[in-house]
């Protein structure tokens, strides 16, 4: 059974391993994290704005109701725009990290002897080249999920 501490240790170990392939994307990763924080802030604001809308509606304060409705609409548009750019940025980070890992793994496979390739079959190495690369490069999705989960739980 894995405990929280074990999961964190494994995550840090995996992150450090992948970081050498994603280092070239450091600026994009920082921007992605900042956008995630803004996204999170808007998600926290939604219940407060919604509560204000309900209070203004029940108080027959129509002008304030409309104003808060527009604030809610504007914040939703901004949040969705941030999410769009965050998604595009993630695709670029993922693609470049994937290419870096695949290039490194491919060069390591080329270093193997013919005997090793014949014993294991080329299909095994092709499967590892594609499958392992995708699994390794998804660390940033996991990182975003963990960070958002921690902040939301606070």
């Amino acid at each position: 059974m894995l405990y929280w501490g074990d999961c964190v240790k494994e995550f840090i170990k995996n992150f450090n391993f992948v970081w050498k392939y994603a280092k070239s994307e450091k600026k994009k990763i920082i921007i992605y994290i900042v956008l995630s924080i803004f996204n999170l802030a808007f998600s926290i604001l939604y219940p407060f704005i919604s509560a204000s809308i309900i209070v203004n509606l029940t108080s027959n304060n129509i002008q304030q109701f409309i104003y808060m409705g527009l604030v809610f609409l504007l914040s939703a548009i901004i949040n969705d725009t941030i999410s769009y750019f965050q998604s595009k940025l993630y695709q670029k980070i993922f693609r470049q990290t994937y290419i870096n890992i695949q290039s490194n793994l491919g060069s390591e496979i080329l270093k193997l002897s013919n005997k090793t390739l014949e014993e294991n079959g080329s299909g095994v190495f092709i499967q590892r080249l594609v499958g392992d690369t995708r699994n390794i490069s998804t660390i940033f999705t996991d990182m975003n999920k963990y960070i958002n989960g921690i902040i939301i739980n606070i």
Side-chain angles (χ1 to χ4, degrees):
M1 177 187 250
L2 285 176
Y3 295 102
W4 176 252
D6 294 335
C7 291
V8 171
K9 287 178 187 175
E10 184 176 342
F11 173 77
I12 290 171
K13 184 182 100 179
N14 290 339
F15 181 79
N16 288 333
F17 176 75
V18 173
W19 183 248
K20 64 183 175 184
Y21 300 108
K23 224 180 241 186
S24 63
E25 301 299 304
K26 183 178 180 180
K27 182 179 177 182
K28 290 177 186 169
I29 292 169
I30 291 170
I31 294 170
Y32 181 84
I33 291 170
V34 169
L35 290 177
S36 292
I37 292 169
F38 281 122
N39 239 346
L40 190 62
F42 278 107
S43 297
I44 292 170
L45 284 176
Y46 286 150
F48 295 113
I49 297 171
S50 298
S52 179
I53 289 172
I54 292 169
V55 167
N56 287 320
L57 181 62
T58 57
S59 302
N60 278 337
N61 193 350
I62 301 300
Q63 187 176 9
Q64 236 3 62
F65 168 75
I66 293 172
Y67 171 73
M68 290 310 292
L70 290 173
V71 168
F72 186 82
L73 178 64
L74 182 65
S75 64
I77 290 170
I78 291 171
N79 192 30
D80 288 347
T81 304
I82 290 172
S83 293
Y84 171 79
F85 286 114
Q86 188 180 12
S87 173
K88 291 296 181 184
L89 195 58
Y90 176 76
Q91 288 174 1
K92 290 178 182 179
I93 294 168
F94 179 83
R95 186 179 332 117
Q96 190 58 45
T97 304
Y98 188 83
I99 289 168
N100 291 345
I101 294 170
Q102 207 166 35
S103 297
N104 186 285
L105 195 55
S107 66
E108 292 298 318
I109 288 175
L110 290 175
K111 292 179 185 176
L112 296 173
S113 67
N114 285 337
K115 183 180 177 186
T116 305
L117 290 172
E118 289 172 4
E119 288 174 356
N120 295 303
S122 61
V124 171
F125 293 106
I126 291 170
Q127 179 186 6
R128 297 296 301 262
L129 181 65
V130 174
D132 290 354
T133 306
R134 180 167 301 279
N135 291 337
I136 292 170
S137 56
T138 59
I139 187 85
F140 296 107
T141 304
D142 296 340
M143 179 183 70
N144 189 38
K145 181 177 71 174
Y146 287 131
I147 290 172
N148 285 342
I150 290 168
I151 293 173
I152 287 172
N153 287 327
I154 291 175

